[in-house]
Amino acid sequence: LVFVAQAQEPVPRNVRISGQKFILASSNASIVMSGPNVVVKGPPYMPAVEGNTICNDITDLACMAAGNCTTCTTFNQADVDHIKKMGWNSIRLGVVWAGAQPRDEDALDPLFLRRLHAVLTLTDANGIHVVLDNHGDMVGSAGCGNGVPTWFQLKAPGVKQFLGKPLKTGFPYSLDKSLNVANAFGYGHCGDDAEMWAAHAGDPNYNLLNECCQAMNSRGNQPALGFTEIQQRTMDFLIHEGAGRA
């Protein structure tokens, strides 16, 4: 994440990592972390802690094919009680960059932070460990992916020319059928229809609003998305030294 860190005393961790083991700080005993994923891949990008029923997520291949998957944007006491009943002790909490820093400024989004701290307060009060996952799926929003925010992608040289255009895979990845986006599930829904790809171009939630993106992501994450020209230029810019990058 690109932000200015405030100098402060580090908070003691309940669990630390030693080699390939998780160690419980209170006893120095190794533990096995087990539990569900808690990831919200669109606004507000972090679950609310309100409510009194569990999140009964159904997102398997059968429901994807039928178009009747169900999900939710809550994580509350009922979910915690269910986790404990299952014998689990932790959650993998998705922290999506596009949600944590939706604007080009040296700060994290206040609403996102409030929701994050509410979840951490809930888990801490119930003895549930949290693995913070800087979650991302096939790079960024502007190319039908999830993770890197659009404002950052637009800083990458050459990205603007691909904005709202049919996704293309460049050389050498285009030589591999499994990496060529033209062969990915759902790509044919729009194909080379420029008008369909142009809908919502530049919107921070293009990956969620554009019909072509919806078609490609309707059956899980498509690996080929990460090898398109717009996503590869984003990655090149992201990993090289420069302003706002450590």
Side-chain angles (χ1 to χ4, degrees), residues 236-246:
D236 287 344
F237 182 66
L238 181 64
I239 65 175
H240 285 89
E241 293 184 0
R245 285 156 285 165

Side-chain angles (χ1 to χ4, degrees), residues 11-22:
V11 177
R13 305 289 184 179
N14 293 328
V15 176
R16 58 184 172 82
I17 298 175
S18 178
Q20 297 182 345
K21 295 181 178 180
F22 291 112

Side-chain angles (χ1 to χ4, degrees), residues 41-42 45 96 98 135-150 153 167 181 197 203-210 212-214 216-217 220-228 230-231 234:
K41 295 186 178 182
Y45 284 100
V96 181
H135 197 82
D137 294 311
M138 317 325 159
V139 196
S141 307
C144 297
N146 179 276
V148 180
T150 298
Q153 288 196 263
L167 294 176
V181 72
W197 285 102
D203 191 290
N205 297 311
Y206 176 79
N207 58 321
L208 303 173
L209 299 173
N210 181 268
C212 309
C213 294
Q214 292 173 3
M216 293 196 66
N217 289 312
N221 304 316
Q222 301 300 313
L225 285 174
F227 295 89
T228 59
I230 188 171
Q231 306 292 37
T234 299

